[in-house]
Amino acid sequence: MALAVRGKIKKIFILGVLSLVLLSGCGANEKKYFESGKALLEEGKYAQAVEVFDKAIGVHGSKNIRGLEIDILRYRAEAEYKAGDYKAAEHTYRLLISADEERVEYLDMLAIIYTKLSNVDMDIDIADAAAMYDKAQSLDDRSELHINAGISIVQYYEDMYDKSSDSSYLDKAEEFLENQLKETNRKNAKVLAVYAKHMSKREDYEKALEAVEEGMALLENKTLNAHDDETLKSLMFSKGSCYEYMSDYNKALECFNAYIEKYGEDEAVSHEVAFLKSRIR
């Protein structure tokens, strides 16, 4: 009897060890695919990265999403978005919200994705993007991604205005921008740069210049990263454009020459300089 019991215990122990070995193997494959997917993502091979992340999730094979699986989904969502597969990215971010709570980064990305899908997917409207943005805002989101989500909504309205010449879209863009300025206490140079361009579109060059000066002051004496530098470039160009539209051609040329000194000459600024020189005699 004792031998039979010992035999059963031994059998259970062996089965347990085999299970652990199998699970360990699955975990190793999952990590292998995950790392391969990340490498492809960094190389810009987004569609291939998605395929490999799917293999990693397939190895896991469980409906319970946790730990490493959440990381895999986050990277897969990024790869899907960068591949331009916005519907797939939306699905993945929805999965993440169901498994990992309503984190603001997921809400912000959904806001951006919904601006891409508006007028393309009949089930999605720009109001859905605004709702995600507002939900992130209610969670006291102040991240750069949140700023970008808001700007994407503004750009949607401005694009719709460009396509339709319906000024109500400009009104909506301006209302949204005014809210962003309040949310950031006018302390975000990127929002001010977008606002300056918007007010130029509305031919309110005084307000546009005011935003330009505020934005440039925020970046002054600051070590600029790539995003800051792109914002400063936009502000400097807007400054020259404002003076040009106000017929202060000498000041406009001075601004564009400062732009060229810092960023070099490109087609847009060359066109402006040529026009200004034709006006100054």
Side-chain angles (χ1 to χ4, degrees), residues 9-20:
I9 292 171
K10 185 177 181 181
K11 190 173 182 180
I12 291 167
F13 175 75
I14 291 169
L15 287 171
V17 169
L18 284 172
S19 297
L20 286 172

Side-chain angles (χ1 to χ4, degrees), residues 2-281:
L3 286 172
V5 171
R6 281 201 297 272
K8 285 182 180 179
I9 292 171
K10 185 177 181 181
K11 190 173 182 180
I12 291 167
F13 175 75
I14 291 169
L15 287 171
V17 169
L18 284 172
S19 297
L20 286 172
V21 169
L22 288 170
L23 286 171
S24 175
C26 288
N29 283 331
E30 190 176 19
K31 288 179 181 177
K32 180 186 76 174
Y33 285 130
F34 180 41
E35 294 302 325
S36 296
K38 286 198 293 183
L40 288 166
L41 181 59
E42 284 184 17
E43 292 171 19
K45 298 175 181 177
Y46 305 126
Q48 291 172 260
V50 171
E51 289 178 8
V52 176
F53 289 136
D54 281 342
K55 286 181 181 179
I57 292 167
V59 168
H60 175 61
S62 169
K63 291 182 179 179
N64 295 321
I65 301 170
R66 62 188 184 277
L68 181 60
E69 290 73 46
I70 287 173
D71 287 336
I72 294 169
L73 284 174
R74 288 174 66 190
Y75 277 91
R76 188 182 79 177
E78 181 183 347
E80 288 166 338
Y81 176 79
K82 288 183 175 178
D85 192 347
Y86 303 126
K87 196 65 182 174
E90 182 218 2
H91 173 70
T92 303
Y93 279 114
R94 285 290 186 186
L95 277 178
L96 282 164
I97 285 174
S98 68
D100 198 26
E101 301 181 350
E102 290 187 336
R103 295 176 61 161
V104 291
E105 65 186 271
Y106 306 153
L107 298 173
D108 288 330
M109 282 307 303
L110 281 172
I112 293 170
I113 287 165
Y114 286 154
T115 65
K116 305 286 188 185
L117 293 175
S118 292
N119 302 330
V120 175
D121 189 318
M122 290 184 67
D123 296 325
I124 292 172
D125 186 80
I126 192 63
D128 297 309
M132 287 296 154
Y133 180 88
D134 289 343
K135 190 175 283 189
Q137 180 63 29
S138 72
L139 297 173
D140 202 31
D141 188 4
R142 295 289 185 274
S143 67
E144 194 63 27
L145 180 59
H146 186 59
I147 296 297
N148 290 339
I151 288 171
S152 72
I153 294 171
V154 170
Q155 288 172 337
Y156 167 86
Y157 286 131
E158 294 199 336
D159 288 344
M160 291 301 293
Y161 167 74
D162 291 338
K163 291 174 184 175
S164 67
S165 298
D166 183 345
S167 62
S168 68
Y169 286 114
L170 274 187
D171 294 337
K172 289 174 182 176
E174 190 166 331
E175 181 183 355
F176 207 93
L177 271 170
E178 294 283 1
N179 286 333
Q180 276 200 299
L181 288 172
K182 287 177 185 175
E183 288 168 11
T184 58
N185 197 27
R186 298 183 76 99
K187 296 297 183 186
N188 187 285
K190 188 171 186 178
V191 175
L192 288 161
V194 174
Y195 185 71
K197 281 187 175 181
H198 174 81
M199 295 316 293
S200 288
K201 193 184 285 274
R202 303 218 80 160
E203 300 182 7
D204 190 338
Y205 304 117
E206 294 292 343
K207 276 193 176 180
L209 271 176
E210 182 184 353
V212 164
E213 296 296 348
E214 286 181 76
M216 291 178 74
L218 289 171
L219 297 175
E220 193 176 5
N221 300 323
K222 178 182 176 183
T223 301
L224 305 184
N225 58 33
H227 297 297
D228 290 332
D229 198 50
E230 198 62 33
T231 298
L232 180 59
K233 187 176 181 180
S234 173
L235 288 164
M236 290 180 74
F237 193 92
S238 290
K239 186 174 183 178
S241 297
C242 284
Y243 281 116
E244 180 183 325
Y245 287 124
M246 294 167 74
S247 300
D248 190 341
Y249 300 132
N250 285 298
K251 184 67 176 176
L253 185 59
E254 179 187 321
C255 291
F256 283 124
N257 282 334
Y259 175 99
I260 291 168
E261 186 178 340
K262 184 168 180 61
Y263 294 108
E265 201 159 348
D266 54 47
E267 187 177 347
V269 78
S270 295
H271 175 79
E272 300 298 336
V273 168
F275 170 79
L276 290 167
K277 285 182 176 178
S278 73
R279 296 293 178 180
I280 300 170
R281 298 296 181 188

